[in-house]
Amino acid sequence: MGLSDDLAAVVGERHVLTSQDVIDGYVTDWTRRYRGTAACVVVPGSAAEVAEVVRACARRAAPIVPQGGNTGMVGGSVPWQGGPASPDFADAAAVVLSTHRLRGLEPVDVVAGQVTAGAGVTIAELNAHVRPAGFSYGVDLASRDSATVGGTIATNAGGVHSVRYGYTRAQLLGTEAVLADGRIISHLAGLTADNAGYDLAGLLAGSEGTLGVITAARLRLWSAETALVAVLAGVDTIAAAAGLYAEIRGRTSRVQAAEYFEAAGVELVCRVAGLPLPLDREYPAYLLVEAAGADAADQLAELGKLADAAVAMDPAGRARLWAYRERHTEAISAEGIPHKLDVAVPMSKLGPFRAALATATRPYREIVFGHIGAGNVHVNVLGPDPDDERVDEAVLRLAAAHGGTVSAEHGIGRAKARWLHLSRSAEEIAAMRAVKSALDPAGLLNPGVLFCGAAG
Ligand code: FAD
Ligand code: 2HG
Ligand code: ZN
């Protein structure tokens, strides 16, 4: 009897995947930069089964890599691949724990404006479920068809609406999760007035699978907007984009997206996706803003007359403008395996940071875009070997030198564990390690993610 037999006894044989072809799809990440190996993939169907799976893995000291939609960008959803970031467990075969079968969706609580969703529910499924009741979920992202409730909590995903509704942590009213010893902690009542002790759901948000396996969550919902307007404006610089966004924000209170991209990205998206240029002429950079409310439509439409901008109010027109932003990630991957650096700097530093970036990424090809409303810049670099981390380090150090962070929204994962210290003090890292070793003393959950080596 081996580990997969133990697991089959818990979830049933057909939910333990052992064929190498099938495993391959679970051990390669979305970017194709991170690839590992696993003994098997286990797909439990309930929190109780997750608990039994975790206990079975713990008995055999088999590390567990929780996985949702496998759309993460920092290698955290797949086992390690060797190299400097390998954890102490590097010789042990990992088990990928997929949440695909945790798909329960309770009826919308229309009075509270809340819903309870299983960890494996995708963001698109969640939105489709709550929309008929007049609600929308606060986090939306281009990976919505695959990214899951559990994965977005574990990464504390930001997304395109974070300027209005906040990150995933702000949507959380409670979670159900399985800890490393198999105990289930469940807090799904949805009380908004609840100060009884530590915020464990908040702690799991952004924990990247290192503290527990999230199995369900109680989520805050927002009234769905019916009147939306999108404006795509051409600008000369990132600083001009930030200034225009500030002007728009001053005119309307319900801005729900403020996105930035540049000529290089637009050229690539147009070529890969077969789209025409968005405006009459090319611009060095672009700002895409979406706002809600009939008054916002008037104000932004007026602004559209001032600058060179395209304005859309109908769903098809807005989707057309959004495509230039949302199709960046897939278009970049069509060109090669990118180095993805997801940083943020203070809004006042965006201009100097962008200017210095060109030097840090030379001689490679850089494609820069992001959620400018949050100062979040996604730096994608094409050209360096996937294992060559020099450009990664240069960009992360540059962000830190501009008062920024090495991770604005994708997390640390395996990709940035070596540079956590650029954004967190030794004291903060020690406190994080203390939390980790209290909840997972054997280090079974996602080893090699967040922390690297003994000193962090
Ligand atoms: P996975 O990739 O499967 O896992 C991500 C991490 O969470 C891993 O560390 C994993 O171990 C852990 N994890 C997963 N499920 C659980 C669970 N149930 N319990 C505990 N740990 C778990 N991200 C943004 O923040 N904003 C964006 O706008 C955005 N846009 C994207 C657009 C595209 C086209 C793509 C491909 C990705 C984008 N992402 C974005 C990145 C990605 O979609 C998010 O990080 C997302 O939150 C990952 O969800 P997932 O279900 O795919 O998680
Ligand atoms: C986005 O905002 C995602 O589109 C992905 O966070 C960013 O591909 C990237 O670098
Ligand atoms: Zn993003």
Side-chain angles (χ1 to χ4, degrees), residues 264 337-339 341 354 357-368 379-392 394-395:
I337 298 181
H339 289 231
L341 294 319
R354 180 67 191 90
L357 200 52
T359 312
T361 59
R362 197 167 292 142
Y364 301 114
R365 182 170 161 204
E366 57 171 23
I367 293 154
V368 176
V379 182
N380 279 247
V381 185
L382 283 164
D385 188 86
D387 293 333
D388 181 349
E389 294 188 309
R390 282 174 297 182
V391 82
D392 304 53
V395 173

Side-chain angles (χ1 to χ4, degrees), residues 73 142 259 325 329 332 340 369-371 378-380 409-410:
M73 310 250 98
E259 300 291 315
R325 166 62 180 86
T329 301
I332 291 164
K340 287 185 178 289
F369 60 103
H371 314 284
H378 295 311
V379 182
N380 279 247
E409 57 172 14
H410 298 159

Side-chain angles (χ1 to χ4, degrees), residues 105-111 113-115 123-137 221-226:
L105 263 171
E106 288 188 4
V108 175
D109 179 341
V110 290
V111 176
Q114 300 175 3
V115 71
I123 299 304
E125 288 167 347
L126 176 63
N127 256 318
H129 178 69
V130 304
R131 197 59 56 73
F135 291 100
S136 70
Y137 183 52
L221 301 174
W222 302 86
S223 296
E225 294 290 1
T226 45

Side-chain angles (χ1 to χ4, degrees), residues 114-333:
Q114 300 175 3
V115 71
T116 299
V121 171
T122 68
I123 299 304
E125 288 167 347
L126 176 63
N127 256 318
H129 178 69
V130 304
R131 197 59 56 73
F135 291 100
S136 70
Y137 183 52
V139 173
D140 192 23
L141 61 188
S143 52
R144 58 184 71 83
D145 290 322
S146 304
T148 61
V149 165
T152 52
I153 294 170
T155 57
N156 188 28
V160 291
H161 293 155
S162 66
V163 284
R164 180 148 184 220
Y165 303 117
Y167 275 36
T168 300
R169 188 179 284 116
Q171 321 307 321
L172 274 186
L173 294 159
T175 46
E176 175 189 77
V178 174
L179 300 179
D181 60 3
R183 275 182 299 177
I184 299 176
I185 51 170
S186 184
H187 199 75
L188 298 173
L191 290 173
T192 50
D194 185 5
N195 269 346
Y198 294 143
D199 177 6
L200 296 177
L203 179 64
L204 287 166
S207 63
E208 301 189 45
T210 64
L211 297 182
V213 182
I214 298 151
T215 49
R218 183 74 174 176
L219 302 167
R220 188 187 306 280
L221 301 174
W222 302 86
S223 296
E225 294 290 1
T226 45
L228 284 167
V229 58
V231 176
L232 174 59
V235 292
D236 286 333
T237 61
I238 195 168
L244 185 55
Y245 163 58
E247 197 187 322
I248 291 171
R249 208 185 41 206
R251 287 177 185 225
T252 170
S253 57
R254 284 155 78 187
V255 173
Q256 60 174 34
E259 300 291 315
Y260 172 79
F261 43 93
E262 299 184 344
V266 166
E267 184 276 319
L268 180 58
V269 167
C270 289
R271 181 155 49 78
V272 172
L275 300 178
L277 281 174
L279 300 176
D280 288 343
R281 73 168 178 87
E282 281 182 53
Y283 283 84
Y286 299 84
L287 175 72
L288 175 64
V289 170
E290 191 163 73
D295 52 341
D298 290 344
Q299 287 152 356
L300 290 180
E302 187 57 33
L303 195 89
K305 284 179 204 151
L306 304 177
D308 186 5
V311 180
M313 295 180 203
D314 60 304
R318 285 189 285 109
R320 199 160 21 81
L321 297 185
W322 269 102
Y324 293 101
R325 166 62 180 86
E326 290 209 324
R327 300 193 73 166
H328 267 67
T329 301
E330 63 177 87
I332 291 164
S333 278

